[in-house]
Amino acid sequence: AAAAVKGPHPGVGPAAARPARARAAVAAVAGVADACGRTSGHGGRRAAPSSSAAPWLGGGGLGLCSRGGDSGQGRRSVATAALLLSLSGLLASPRPAAASIDGVPDVGSLNAGRKRFVIKIVEDYKMLTTAGSVTDEWLEKTLPKMYRAMDVWAGLQRRSEVPDKYSKGPQKAAKSFEKAAKSKDYAATLAAFQAYLDELPDAGPGGSGKINFDNPTMPLIGAAGPAIIGAS
């Protein structure tokens, strides 16, 4: 989405598998408790946990079953131990989930947006100003991707789950930039880009939306915005 981005989302990853892991964990707890309940009724012999418990408890699952004793107490203690083991597996994700750019953007959302979109905006703008004119090649190959990056970054400036005045302003300016560039009027294109920069808010839930041309992956702090490149 501009803000709710259409296309692949950074948040898709290990976190998406957690509901399935949770169901497996519950099955593991139930399987071990059931197995150990059978133990107390067979002279203290250890009963194997159900197959659903095996991936979570490994070989140590059998050791959780006590020999003899009160079956109710045994079940409670085993269930507690199995639950702790299962939860440890749930929480030990191989890598943290990437910041999502859906919902209300926060610091993580803007950090992800800078790496994914702002870098693209700066690179493509520098290509334009280095050429000193709106070339056919830039117009055909670069503008579409640059406009999309500008539109998405503008959408991330919203302060709610839906577009608001903080995102609609820069999104409108991004559209005007695209239109100016397609006219191949270089001066008008630079002016439209400056208007886009001016529309980006310098504060919000995720921090400053201003573009740092010196280091696009970092927020621009304590400044109204960068001097436009190539404007002179």
Side-chain angles (χ1 to χ4, degrees):
V5 182
K6 296 178 181 176
H9 290 246
V12 176
R18 286 176 186 164
R21 290 182 185 176
R23 289 192 294 272
V26 172
V29 172
V32 174
D34 177 66
C36 293
R38 294 198 302 274
T39 298
S40 62
H42 292 80
R45 288 183 289 109
R46 290 177 176 175
S50 66
S51 59
S52 64
W56 293 90
L57 304 178
L62 294 175
L64 289 172
C65 298
S66 59
R67 295 180 181 274
D70 176 69
S71 63
Q73 179 63 34
R75 287 183 182 179
R76 285 192 294 272
S77 61
V78 167
T80 300
L83 179 58
L84 291 175
L85 287 173
S86 300
L87 287 176
S88 69
L90 280 172
L91 296 176
S93 179
R95 62 181 176 85
S100 172
I101 53 177
D102 291 326
V104 180
D106 56 14
V107 173
S109 304
L110 265 67
N111 284 341
R114 289 186 187 93
K115 294 175 182 177
R116 189 173 173 187
F117 303 112
V118 174
I119 286 179
K120 182 67 178 170
I121 294 170
V122 172
E123 287 179 351
D124 293 348
Y125 185 72
K126 288 182 177 180
M127 287 176 60
L128 171 68
T129 57
T130 297
S133 64
V134 182
T135 65
D136 290 336
E137 182 178 10
W138 184 90
L139 202 58
E140 178 183 352
K141 297 181 179 180
T142 305
L143 178 61
K145 295 178 181 179
M146 181 180 178
Y147 164 69
R148 184 178 185 277
M150 292 171 66
D151 185 58
V152 172
W153 181 245
L156 285 173
Q157 307 313 311
R158 67 188 184 279
R159 300 185 184 183
S160 63
E161 293 185 355
V162 297
D164 55 24
K165 66 179 182 179
Y166 299 101
S167 61
K168 289 180 179 179
Q171 283 180 320
K172 183 177 179 180
K175 194 67 178 177
S176 296
F177 168 78
E178 181 189 40
K179 182 177 180 180
K182 287 181 176 179
S183 74
K184 301 190 71 172
D185 184 329
Y186 182 65
T189 301
L190 295 184
F193 189 75
Q194 180 64 63
Y196 172 78
L197 296 179
D198 292 342
E199 283 286 344
L200 293 171
D202 56 10
S208 174
K210 297 296 186 183
I211 293 178
N212 185 340
F213 279 81
D214 294 327
N215 187 352
T217 64
M218 297 297 292
L220 188 70
I221 305 298
I228 193 166
I229 298 175
S232 58

